[in-house]
Amino acid sequence: MDLGVALSLIMFVVFIAMILIGYNVAFSFASTALLFSFLGDLLDVFDPAVLATLPSRWFGAVSDPTLLAIPFFVLMGAILERSGLAERLLSAIGMLLGPIKGGVAAAVILVGTLLAAATGVVAATVIVMGLLSLPTMVRLGYDHKLATGTITASGTLAQLIPPSLVLILLAQQMRVGIIGLFAGALIPGLMLSGMYAAYAIAISYARPGVGPAMPKSERTLSGRVLALEILFSVVPIIALILAVLVSIFLGIATPSESGAVGVAGALILAGLSYQFDKILVKRGATHITPRWRLTAKTLREAGKSTANISILVMTLLFASSFFSLMFLQLGGSDQVADWLASVGGGKMGFVIVSMIAVFLLGINLEFLEITFIVVPIFVPAMDLLGFTNIERIWFTVLMAVNLNMAFISPPVGFSLFYLQSVAPPEVKTSDIHKGAIPFMVLQGVALVLLVAFPGIIDFSFDFFTPSST
Amino acid sequence: MSDTPEPDVTTIAESLLESLEYRDDASEIVEIPSGILGVLHYVRAGISRLTTISGKIAWILVWVVFVLGLFNVITRYAGRFIQQDIIIGEIFDLQWMLFGALFLLAFNYGLREAVNPRIDFWWANFSDKRKAFIDLVIHVTMFLPFLWLGIRLLWPYAMSGLGRKFDGSWSTWKVWTIWEQSGDAGGLPRGPIKFLMLVGFVLFALQLVAEIIKTIMVLAGRTDLATIAKPKAPVRIE
């Protein structure tokens, strides 16, 4: 093996060691890259003049229109969460579906899906649902494992159902069109959500006591008030989601433009909810007191969390672009691409090997690290194997589904941490961990289905992409 | 639900998130060490004040970028409606440039607020001093040199963006006012944003110095800087 390639592989090992001892992930990228550019220069396998291209690479990231969509979709979700609209949505749908067995779990999944389509971030969804639905489900006598698994899994859908931060980053790293990727991921996301709901309801009916129906005494809303509550808290959010997605998929607006409209819509809904509440109270509702939701605090907090996520993502992007430049220059990328292309089985062999690798990494790493570590390695292999555009989108959606598992895989899934931080004391951490397992199995089944039948993603892509014919 | 008062979920979530949040404004620290550590303390407090400003600019820019984005959409569709092109190209450019400014100027804020994730598999069980030691060693030997490299590389890049020619002479004022045009017709000059990349790196390097000072203080026995001993809480990203 030539010296540069060996050096690049050692660089990779050093990087993994650094993040394992707990040094900041983004800074580990930059630090190892610097160390090995120095070593490469000493050993005469790297020309430091190449480093002069770094500023223009960074500038490329700054001026990338795809990434401009990030703040809008994060902000839109943050407004819905901070203003309390997400919470209203959840309680209304809970009341609606409560009477059937497993109904509250199904409501959580439905709301998780809706919020996923309204926001690109997982934390907000899991925390809101964990605070509101978990105590309810515990009180109703739900099995703790089913309750927690439902919340973590459906909250995680936010990263698969467009618009999503993960999809935007994957599109940028995989070099596929963001609209096409959104289109390709929509049906797989809905499919997963349908599988969760079917599972939750089926197990509630099959095993008594796992997911009891809401007793009459709990159902405080009924009749006209419930209908009004649905009309005012559920319908507007669905309309907002449809407006954003339709405008993207019909090619009316670019993702960042739709995001801007989505933020405006979320602000309007938060403002209008005060009027809606007053109407509800006038019609005899007692469960709410009208309050103005669009406070300065809401706006400040929403802006702050949006800024934090933007900073986080861009720091990682700047640092990892130096790392992948070094990995490419030292010859590591070509070598790994060769290996991946020669595992046999052509494209399918590559897909299977890479999916297994991502799954194994996902047990211990999180989506951000995986996206920035392995995707730059996969891309040259895909070039070598001659992946077409639609096959790239297929592969990218598979990655996104696979990363869903990383979010809820014990012991270190982000969604599990979020839920742990808000769970009532009687819910044990081990329940949260065990509860995720059935949903990971469902995700695994979905992944196998999507690998075996690429037609699902192709159809989703064709159906939702603006008429390219 | 009507007989028991409904808890205000948003408030609970907020207070919870605040408790997870890492607050360390050096100016809040009351006890000021003596000697060389005292000097370091003031250096750190000064840098931290700068970083706080960066963070505030970032929150404000989020809303400015949103307003510009909305303005773009409106002009685009209003223009289509009245069959006239009233899109202002500068606004589109300004939008991504201000988003760039948002994170470039606030890299330092992200560093201080620890928004960037760590793998805390083992990290969570380390003592404060061990955490400080790991950070100190890698910050000084590898990460600070990276920032130095970044600044070295960005300096000529930013300067050429502002009008310096290859031979080192500067463009005359006439050329200076044109700057380097962006790709789109009627676009804004890109010089300023290239310069902001340099500014961002310098601010980041300054905050890294502040972090290094913090690790030194922890190693010197300060326990009130519990920042590194942040509880094992998920960083609130995605």
Side-chain angles (χ1 to χ4, degrees):
Chain A
M1 196 191 299
D2 107 70
L3 186 63
V5 174
L7 211 55
S8 66
L9 298 179
I10 298 170
M11 174 171 86
F12 198 80
V13 173
V14 170
F15 166 74
I16 297 289
M18 262 170 91
I19 60 174
L20 281 183
I21 59 168
Y23 193 63
N24 195 303
V25 176
F27 309 161
S28 299
F29 271 127
S31 301
T32 38
L34 178 85
L35 179 66
F36 282 83
S37 64
F38 180 68
L39 289 179
D41 187 23
L42 273 187
L43 297 172
D44 245 359
V45 287
F46 171 70
D47 177 12
V50 176
L51 293 178
T53 63
L54 267 180
S56 53
R57 281 175 157 245
W58 288 331
F59 187 77
V62 176
S63 57
D64 191 332
T66 307
L67 298 173
L68 184 58
I70 293 174
F72 294 115
F73 289 123
V74 175
L75 189 55
M76 179 180 168
I79 293 168
L80 290 179
E81 181 217 351
R82 300 278 173 175
S83 62
L85 291 187
E87 170 205 329
R88 288 286 296 280
L89 181 71
L90 186 58
S91 64
I93 295 185
M95 289 289 167
L96 187 67
L97 296 179
I100 59 169
K101 281 188 180 178
V104 179
V108 164
I109 293 162
L110 182 56
V111 171
T113 311
L114 288 176
L115 289 180
T119 173
V121 289
V122 169
T125 323
V126 172
I127 288 179
V128 168
M129 298 200 302
L131 278 172
L132 200 75
S133 317
L134 191 53
T136 309
M137 286 199 269
V138 168
R139 194 176 61 233
L140 292 177
Y142 268 70
D143 177 39
H144 289 185
K145 293 195 278 292
L146 176 66
T148 57
T150 315
I151 292 173
T152 49
S154 50
T156 308
L157 286 172
Q159 68 98 12
L160 182 59
I161 296 178
S164 118
L165 177 57
V166 176
L167 291 179
I168 294 173
L169 289 178
L170 280 174
Q172 201 260 352
Q173 294 278 307
M174 287 274 191
R175 293 177 223 138
V176 294
I178 181 66
I179 298 177
L181 184 58
F182 277 1
L186 190 55
I187 287 182
L190 295 178
M191 183 178 107
L192 213 49
S193 138
M195 285 166 75
Y196 294 164
Y199 166 78
I201 293 177
I203 199 166
S204 300
Y205 275 94
R207 304 219 327 245
V210 168
M214 206 182 242
K216 197 98 180 131
S217 59
E218 288 271 346
R219 299 208 297 273
T220 50
L221 295 185
S222 59
R224 202 175 60 174
V225 175
L226 179 59
L228 276 177
E229 174 78 26
I230 299 280
L231 179 67
F232 287 151
S233 63
V234 182
V235 175
I237 289 187
I238 293 180
L240 177 64
I241 292 165
L242 286 180
V244 170
L245 288 184
V246 167
S247 66
I248 295 177
F249 289 144
L250 289 184
I252 298 173
T254 64
S256 68
E257 285 176 345
S258 312
V261 174
V263 173
L267 287 173
I268 292 171
L269 287 190
L272 278 181
S273 70
Y274 181 56
Q275 303 302 326
F276 289 163
D277 287 358
K278 284 206 284 204
I279 296 174
L280 269 168
V281 168
K282 206 183 270 177
R283 301 273 166 156
T286 49
H287 66 293
I288 40 156
T289 43
R291 68 183 165 94
W292 180 245
R293 291 166 187 274
L294 211 56
T295 57
K297 191 176 182 203
T298 305
L299 298 184
R300 195 176 55 237
E301 295 287 323
K304 196 171 161 186
S305 57
T306 306
N308 280 355
I309 290 177
S310 308
I311 295 164
L312 160 74
V313 168
M314 297 311 292
T315 312
L316 260 168
L317 198 61
F318 266 57
S320 72
S321 67
F322 183 24
F323 185 85
S324 49
L325 174 73
M326 285 310 299
F327 201 65
L328 180 77
Q329 287 296 324
L330 291 172
S333 294
D334 293 343
Q335 184 63 56
V336 176
D338 272 352
W339 286 339
L340 282 173
S342 60
V343 287
K347 290 173 184 171
M348 204 45 127
F350 163 72
V351 168
I352 291 170
V353 168
S354 51
M355 282 303 127
I356 293 173
V358 170
F359 172 73
L360 292 178
L361 286 173
I363 293 174
N364 281 316
L365 301 184
E366 277 317 321
F367 81 97
L368 276 169
E369 292 98 55
I370 296 177
T371 307
F372 289 109
I373 295 169
V374 305
V375 174
I377 297 178
F378 286 163
V379 171
M382 287 160 72
D383 293 341
L384 213 61
L385 286 164
F387 270 61
T388 60
N389 185 44
I390 181 71
E391 282 169 333
R392 280 168 197 266
I393 286 181
W394 171 60
F395 183 75
T396 314
V397 176
L398 293 181
M399 281 281 294
V401 174
N402 205 332
L403 290 178
N404 245 318
M405 288 200 246
F407 265 94
I408 63 169
S409 64
V412 282
F414 269 136
S415 298
L416 305 178
F417 283 140
Y418 297 139
L419 189 58
Q420 257 170 44
S421 62
V422 298
E426 62 264 40
V427 175
K428 288 186 301 224
T429 302
S430 63
D431 284 341
I432 297 179
H433 286 182
K434 280 183 202 147
I437 306 286
F439 290 92
M440 285 183 68
V441 172
L442 288 177
Q443 290 166 346
V445 171
L447 187 61
V448 170
L449 281 177
L450 293 171
V451 171
F453 304 104
I456 303 172
I457 293 169
D458 291 356
F459 172 76
S460 187
F461 175 78
D462 289 340
F463 191 81
F464 291 110
T465 315
S467 54
S468 46
T469 47
Chain B
M1 224 179 274
S2 50
D3 47 343
T4 51
E6 200 179 328
D8 188 344
V9 177
T10 331
T11 326
I12 300 174
E14 264 162 16
S15 59
L16 182 96
L17 290 169
E18 267 162 22
S19 69
L20 297 182
E21 218 167 50
Y22 153 46
R23 282 248 134 265
D24 173 47
D25 192 344
S27 56
E28 287 169 11
I29 297 167
V30 189
E31 186 200 336
I32 296 169
S34 56
I36 184 78
L37 280 182
V39 177
L40 289 178
H41 167 83
Y42 283 114
V43 172
R44 179 161 165 269
I47 295 172
S48 194
R49 211 153 284 171
L50 213 58
T51 302
T52 305
I53 298 172
S54 280
K56 283 187 181 151
I57 293 176
W59 312 344
I60 294 168
L61 281 180
V62 167
W63 291 100
V64 176
V65 170
F66 157 63
V67 169
L68 290 180
L70 196 63
F71 182 80
N72 257 329
V73 181
I74 292 170
T75 50
R76 163 106 73 106
Y77 295 103
R80 194 177 285 179
F81 190 67
I82 59 170
Q83 312 240 316
Q84 259 174 36
D85 190 5
I86 54 168
I87 303 174
I88 304 171
E90 284 85 350
I91 299 280
F92 181 78
D93 270 7
L94 196 60
Q95 192 191 352
W96 68 253
M97 285 180 180
L98 287 182
F99 176 56
L102 186 166
F103 60 77
L104 288 171
L105 290 180
F107 276 153
N108 54 354
Y109 178 77
L111 173 61
R112 193 188 74 188
E113 301 290 306
V115 301
N116 298 296
R118 296 177 190 268
I119 310 259
D120 60 359
F121 204 63
W122 289 326
W123 179 261
N125 301 321
F126 289 166
S127 67
D128 286 2
K129 287 205 172 176
R130 175 176 282 193
K131 286 176 183 172
F133 181 73
I134 292 174
D135 267 2
L136 176 64
V137 169
I138 305 181
H139 279 343
V140 172
T141 58
M142 291 162 86
F143 196 49
L144 201 55
F146 159 73
L147 292 176
W148 179 77
L149 171 78
I151 291 168
R152 276 284 304 271
L153 292 172
L154 284 169
W155 178 264
Y157 190 72
M159 289 304 126
S160 77
L162 291 181
R164 194 171 71 172
K165 294 180 190 161
F166 285 115
D167 59 12
S169 66
W170 288 81
S171 307
T172 57
W173 270 101
K174 204 173 172 189
V175 183
W176 168 278
T177 50
I178 298 171
W179 273 333
E180 185 195 350
Q181 296 294 314
S182 89
D184 315 300
L188 289 176
R190 294 181 168 191
I193 196 79
K194 291 182 176 177
F195 185 68
L196 277 189
M197 284 167 71
L198 176 64
V199 175
F201 262 70
V202 171
L203 288 174
F204 192 86
L206 278 176
Q207 180 58 34
L208 191 74
V209 170
E211 296 292 316
I212 290 172
I213 292 174
K214 188 164 72 189
T215 58
I216 292 173
M217 286 183 163
V218 171
L219 286 174
R222 288 290 295 262
T223 49
D224 55 334
L225 296 169
T227 52
I228 303 178
K230 199 163 71 95
K232 186 183 176 183
V235 182
R236 189 158 190 266
I237 52 157
E238 232 291 0

